[in-house]
Amino acid sequence: MSFRILAVLMLGLGSEIAAIDVDPAITDYQPVAALQGSLNSVGGDALNTLMTFWAEGFQTTYPSVNIQIEGMGGSTGPVALVGGTVQLAPMTREFTAHEIAAFEKKWGYPPIAIRVALDALAVFVHPDNPVPSLSLLQLDQIYSSTFKRGGADVNDWSGLGLTGDLSALPISPFGRNSASGAYAVAKQRILMGGNFKTSVLEKPGSSGVAEAVAQTRGGIGYSGAGYLTTTVRAIPVSEGVQPAVLPTYDHVLAGRYPLARFLFIYIHKKPGGDPLVAEFIRYTQSRVGQRIVCDNGFFPLSAALVGENLAKLAP
């Protein structure tokens, strides 16, 4: 699966994806004395593949460690971490202020946010659709019922400037369900906190969005860039007066792509630290851990970001 996704990204976003590699300043993982115990993880499904490969590599190094992973959607991670049933909550968004407050009320200290990769919400259309790019204003017109960006409702492709046989087709918007981090990011970044139209067809999984768009000539959908397939086309996205760009690594790392995001693992770091949690996080931040990020269609961290993350693990 990992190499298939990477190959798809190379086809869909250009040959520059092939050049992505781990920052040479990121060091190899150095095993510590034998570890044992259990780690439990609940959170966003978009990180399932990453978590699985990280867990497999970590367990190869530490065979006495057991890791259980469930990807049920971004809203499930904070609940599980607050409840104390997990030590790890993979997230495609940051915890809300309410979620942080709930954790602090229960435990007396905040959860720790560790950035593990970079990602972007890609906007997919059917390959037959010639629309060259879309702005966040136009995406708000497609997806929103509240139009906080100041636009008006758009229901067919002629309203976005298309001519020809596609112009009269109704727009069929697809998105993620409300439990996902992608939904939360789209609601905040595209809709500015507004409400989605009731006509948006929500999919429970990231791959389902791309599959739906591929089967719908007038379809459009948003999901993680790692879920692009050869049966849909990613389009450039713009914000304000900035030029429209694709979600390539350079654009994401430089902050030019308006729907870029960090992927996180929130951890329950008890006073004095937890060696098992700390070592798993160090593994994700190592050269091998970030190579797994690259191989699975996401974007790796810079050495500077890794250094900031590792500092959070200090007792």
Side-chain angles (χ1 to χ4, degrees):
M1 177 178 177
S2 60
F3 295 105
R4 181 190 68 80
I5 292 176
L6 182 63
V8 166
L9 278 169
M10 290 168 61
L11 289 170
L13 296 182
S15 59
E16 63 190 280
I17 296 295
I20 296 174
D21 203 352
V22 178
D23 188 327
I26 295 176
T27 60
D28 292 329
Y29 179 71
Q30 301 297 324
V32 297
L35 291 174
Q36 59 183 359
S38 296
L39 287 174
N40 295 307
S41 169
V42 170
D45 69 289
L47 279 83
N48 279 355
T49 305
L50 280 180
M51 290 298 294
T52 298
F53 278 96
W54 281 331
E56 289 176 354
F58 194 74
Q59 288 173 305
T60 298
T61 305
Y62 303 108
S64 297
V65 173
N66 179 56
I67 302 177
Q68 299 293 323
I69 299 166
E70 290 185 53
M72 305 293 290
S75 64
T76 63
V79 174
L81 203 68
V82 170
T85 58
V86 303
Q87 304 103 314
L88 309 171
M91 300 288 293
T92 58
R93 62 167 176 83
E94 295 182 82
F95 274 24
T96 65
H98 175 75
E99 290 163 345
I100 293 172
F103 187 97
E104 289 184 315
K105 181 177 180 181
K106 175 73 178 286
W107 299 102
Y109 46 86
I112 304 297
I114 303 292
R115 293 166 292 191
V116 293
L118 290 155
D119 189 27
L121 289 188
V123 177
F124 316 144
V125 295
H126 192 277
D128 290 347
N129 192 328
V131 63
S133 64
L134 289 173
S135 67
L136 293 187
L137 170 60
Q138 290 172 314
L139 289 172
D140 187 61
Q141 292 176 289
I142 292 169
Y143 278 98
S144 181
S145 64
T146 45
F147 310 115
K148 290 196 171 184
R149 290 185 175 274
D153 194 16
V154 172
N155 292 301
D156 61 54
W157 286 102
S158 67
L160 297 171
L162 289 192
T163 58
D165 64 334
L166 256 170
S167 64
L169 276 182
I171 297 173
S172 298
F174 297 95
R176 289 300 314 280
N177 60 359
S178 59
S180 76
Y183 175 99
V185 171
K187 182 177 176 69
Q188 183 61 39
R189 301 275 187 90
I190 298 174
L191 275 57
M192 298 181 68
N195 297 324
F196 283 94
K197 292 177 181 176
T198 57
S199 59
V200 177
L201 300 173
E202 296 181 353
K203 297 296 178 179
S206 301
S207 60
V209 175
E211 292 170 2
V213 173
Q215 297 166 9
T216 310
R217 200 157 176 255
I220 186 171
Y222 66 84
S223 192
Y227 288 87
L228 284 174
T229 72
T230 54
T231 58
V232 294
R233 183 172 67 89
I235 59 173
V237 176
S238 65
E239 181 174 20
V241 298
Q242 298 301 314
V245 296
L246 285 166
T248 64
Y249 184 45
D250 287 346
H251 291 151
V252 168
L253 196 60
R256 291 189 291 267
Y257 185 70
L259 298 178
R261 59 180 177 173
F262 281 108
L263 302 181
F264 300 88
I265 296 178
Y266 275 78
I267 64 173
H268 187 158
K269 181 191 172 190
K270 299 177 181 178
D274 184 327
L276 191 53
V277 171
E279 283 309 310
F280 182 81
I281 294 300
R282 289 191 181 99
Y283 184 83
T284 70
Q285 304 290 301
S286 70
R287 174 164 291 278
V288 65
Q290 288 299 295
R291 183 68 256 167
I292 289 170
V293 169
C294 295
D295 288 347
N296 283 276
F298 297 103
F299 301 128
L301 301 175
S302 66
L305 291 171
V306 166
E308 292 173 10
N309 287 329
L310 294 179
K312 297 179 181 180
L313 301 178

